[in-house]
Amino acid sequence: VRIFAIDNEAGFYRKSQVPLGEAERTDNNGQFNLSIPAESLDAVVVEITADADTRMTCDVVEGCGLNEMGSTIAFGEAFSLNHGFILEAAYSGLSDKQDLTLYVTPLTHLAVSYAAAQPDGLSAENIDASYALIEDTLNLSSGSLQLPPPDLTQLDSYDSLSGDELQYAVMSASF
């Protein structure tokens, strides 16, 4: 996991070329904790990439393709990712926060990709509008992409789940 500032270059907002601080590994639950100097930052992109030690749990009932040995990767099974794997999330309004919890999912990645493709790039307005567009298009409640998506491989561990939470998890898994 790495965090990047969003730079403004003549009115075009893009992810900086150099990350803020050192990279951090996620724990066994896919969580991480990073500290950054936010005094001069208002917006960031959080990027998750894979290396040889990275494992993801298959959350698709039909399976997640084939592993290196040619066997089917079954639902709930951990598998390695290729070196080109990347997921991103973006957040604007950092200057108002001391702590921030941010979730990185295929749907946040879709929103960041859409925002980055706009004429002025990753502006605060484009980030907010892109998150709202993904939520609206997928019929999720406003703010759903800011919430933790349930783990479809661990549904028995939840006391209850709302329809929005379950839909968010299923939609993320579908990507």
Side-chain angles (χ1 to χ4, degrees), residues 12-13 111-123 126-127 129-130 133:
F12 182 77
Y13 296 84
V112 171
S113 297
Y114 184 80
Q118 299 309 301
D120 54 343
L122 292 168
S123 68
N126 287 344
I127 292 169
S130 295
L133 175 67

Side-chain angles (χ1 to χ4, degrees), residues 28-42:
N28 288 338
N29 295 317
Q31 298 177 342
F32 55 92
N33 187 6
L34 291 170
S35 296
I36 57 169
E39 302 86 39
S40 61
L41 295 173
D42 186 54

Side-chain angles (χ1 to χ4, degrees), residues 104-172:
V104 184
T105 69
L107 299 184
T108 64
H109 183 77
L110 187 59
V112 171
S113 297
Y114 184 80
Q118 299 309 301
D120 54 343
L122 292 168
S123 68
E125 296 80 15
N126 287 344
I127 292 169
D128 292 344
S130 295
Y131 271 66
L133 175 67
I134 299 303
E135 291 165 346
D136 186 54
T137 301
L138 299 177
N139 203 26
L140 297 170
S141 295
S142 178
S144 289
L145 297 185
Q146 303 297 339
L147 301 174
D151 182 343
L152 290 175
T153 67
Q154 304 288 325
L155 290 179
D156 291 344
S157 66
Y158 297 95
D159 291 333
S160 67
L161 289 172
S162 71
D164 257 4
E165 290 172 310
L166 195 52
Q167 184 172 339
Y168 181 17
V170 169
M171 295 303 266
S172 287

Side-chain angles (χ1 to χ4, degrees), residues 48-58 64 68 73 78-87:
I48 296 178
T49 56
D51 63 18
D53 295 327
T54 304
R55 298 291 179 268
M56 182 178 274
T57 302
C58 176
C64 296
E68 303 86 27
I73 301 166
F79 63 97
S80 59
L81 300 168
N82 69 36
H83 215 61
F85 176 85
I86 183 171
L87 284 179

